[in-house]
Amino acid sequence: MMRWDVHEQPDRLFAATGGRSRAYTEFDLVSLVVSESEPAAGMAPEAVQILRLCRHPMALVEVSARLRMPVGVVAILLSDLLAEGRISVRHPSSGAGGAGRPAPRGAGAATPARPRLPDTGLVREVLVALKNL
């Protein structure tokens, strides 16, 4: 497994976050991220990757691992996408609401189907594996 090295790509990370070191929004490591839109022309490559990865609910730590970027940097990018309304974010135990926008409501009497959430046991195993790195 590849590890992120602080000396490997600091310029890229600085540019991706616009030089910021903190996200506008706080996220839990297991916060689930879901794309609410498709990537648009001119978007940063990291934002495009996040929107494509998160077509189905994905935990922040998993997004970080797949992008091979530090969690703090990914949180800054997610904060920007959340502010633009391109993603929604929620904690698995919070149901439809949570840290992001509320779940969309259907036009008729039918309630839209909720996306299937990852197994909490799997999320715990991922967290343990990350702590052991």
Side-chain angles (χ1 to χ4, degrees):
M1 174 179 229
M2 288 185 58
R3 287 187 179 200
W4 179 79
D5 180 12
V6 73
H7 303 292
E8 183 179 321
Q9 51 187 328
D11 295 338
R12 175 177 164 247
L13 299 176
F14 183 84
T17 61
R20 289 178 289 135
S21 61
R22 293 184 187 245
Y24 298 126
T25 309
E26 271 191 48
F27 300 102
D28 290 330
L29 291 176
V30 293
S31 294
L32 295 176
V33 181
V34 181
S35 300
E36 297 291 338
S37 68
E38 290 296 318
M43 288 181 75
E46 296 84 5
V48 170
Q49 287 178 307
I50 290 170
L51 291 177
R52 288 184 177 150
L53 279 173
C54 297
R55 288 184 176 136
H56 301 286
M58 184 175 291
L60 181 147
V61 294
E62 189 173 354
V63 175
S64 174
R66 293 211 181 174
L67 292 178
R68 295 188 173 139
M69 297 177 82
V71 171
V73 172
V74 173
I76 293 169
L77 299 174
L78 292 177
S79 178
D80 293 344
L81 291 170
L82 182 63
E84 295 171 10
R86 295 190 174 276
I87 62 169
S88 60
V89 181
R90 64 181 179 267
H91 193 278
S93 64
S94 69
R101 298 178 320 178
R105 298 188 184 267
T111 304
R114 283 190 179 170
R116 207 175 105 223
L117 299 176
D119 177 33
T120 55
L122 176 63
V123 173
R124 283 190 191 108
E125 288 178 31
V126 170
L127 289 174
V128 168
L130 287 172
K131 286 179 184 177
N132 290 335
L133 289 177

